[in-house]
Amino acid sequence: NAGVTQTPKFQVLKTGQSMTLQCAQDMNHEYMSWYRQDPGMGLRLIHYSVGAGITDQGEVPNGYNVSRSTTEDFPLRLLSAAPSQTSVYFCASSWDREGQPQHFGDGTRLSIL
Amino acid sequence: QQQVKQSPQSLIVQKGGISIINCAYENTAFDYFPWYQQFPGKGPALLIAIRPDVSEKKEGRFTISFNKSAKQFSLHIMDSQPGDSATYFCAASVGGNQFYFGTGTSLTVIP
């Protein structure tokens, strides 16, 4: 099993550009989520999904869209990137709705100029 | 507003010593309290977790102490080793859907 795979690992964008961060898991996990990690802020939940076709907002959803068409994939879209979205983004998945234990990917480091 | 407050921000401990990291929360609806360990360039990994119906949980050198009345919980790392040097995050959730993380503690264990 590869676990949780995030692509790309690094990305530089210009303000206003759009992009999609990819997240895939091969563990047949129902629950998937996206976090951003900023210095001194810990991890903050952006969006999460409890199964294919079901998504919901987390703590900091503004500026991000998600969809969950399959169990395996949970992409995160930035429609119009802003410098405030410069961060390290982590995707996580877990077996059931209780969300434990969460398996994290190794992150995407995103810089927006 | 930080839902889970974590301290200290950084911690330096001698090899063989005890590392203690503390977290506090306000939302009494939280029902799950995990601790994560993160190494540079990697995602967080679950270390140990506790539910509020127990006051202590131990796994190897790692122990969570939970004080429900004080709304505090802490991670104790016994016999700290240089390989334990990492960033540690506490977290809390309600029903396993939304997780709130502390701001992290950078632990350095010196030989």
Side-chain angles (χ1 to χ4, degrees), chain A residues 13-111:
Chain A
L13 291 178
K14 294 182 179 179
T15 297
Q17 286 184 318
S18 63
M19 81 160 295
T20 299
L21 308 186
Q22 301 292 343
C23 176
Q25 52 91 7
D26 60 358
M27 298 172 283
N28 202 30
H29 285 172
E30 290 294 324
Y31 181 93
M32 297 185 73
S33 54
W34 276 102
Y35 293 85
R36 59 177 291 173
Q37 184 175 29
D38 302 293
M41 300 290 289
L43 287 90
R44 292 181 291 169
L45 182 65
I46 304 171
H47 286 286
Y48 66 96
S49 168
V50 298
I54 306 170
T55 64
D56 206 345
Q57 296 181 350
E59 190 179 356
V60 288
N62 292 342
Y64 307 95
N65 282 349
V66 292
S67 60
R68 183 96 179 271
S69 57
T70 67
T71 299
E72 295 77 20
D73 300 298
F74 191 43
L76 178 72
R77 298 183 186 85
L78 285 72
L79 298 180
S80 179
S84 61
Q85 293 177 305
T86 293
S87 187
V88 181
Y89 291 85
F90 288 99
C91 178
S93 74
S94 62
W95 178 251
D96 59 20
R97 197 161 181 252
E98 289 298 308
Q100 300 309 317
Q102 289 200 75
H103 299 262
F104 281 82
D106 285 338
T108 294
R109 285 146 185 82
L110 181 63
S111 293

Side-chain angles (χ1 to χ4, degrees), chain B residues 10-53:
Chain B
S10 62
L11 183 61
I12 299 174
V13 173
Q14 292 272 3
K15 179 182 176 181
I18 302 173
S19 304
I20 301 175
I21 304 170
N22 301 299
C23 286
Y25 64 97
E26 287 298 324
N27 187 351
T28 55
F30 286 145
D31 59 5
Y32 191 83
F33 301 89
W35 284 91
Y36 288 85
Q37 180 188 56
Q38 184 180 30
F39 293 104
K42 296 295 185 182
L46 180 67
L47 193 61
I48 187 173
I50 198 168
R51 297 196 182 272
D53 53 346

Side-chain angles (χ1 to χ4, degrees), chain B residues 71-85:
Chain B
K71 292 184 283 187
Q72 295 175 348
F73 58 111
S74 60
L75 176 69
H76 297 235
I77 305 175
M78 313 300 288
D79 187 26
S80 299
Q81 299 297 312
D84 297 330
S85 297

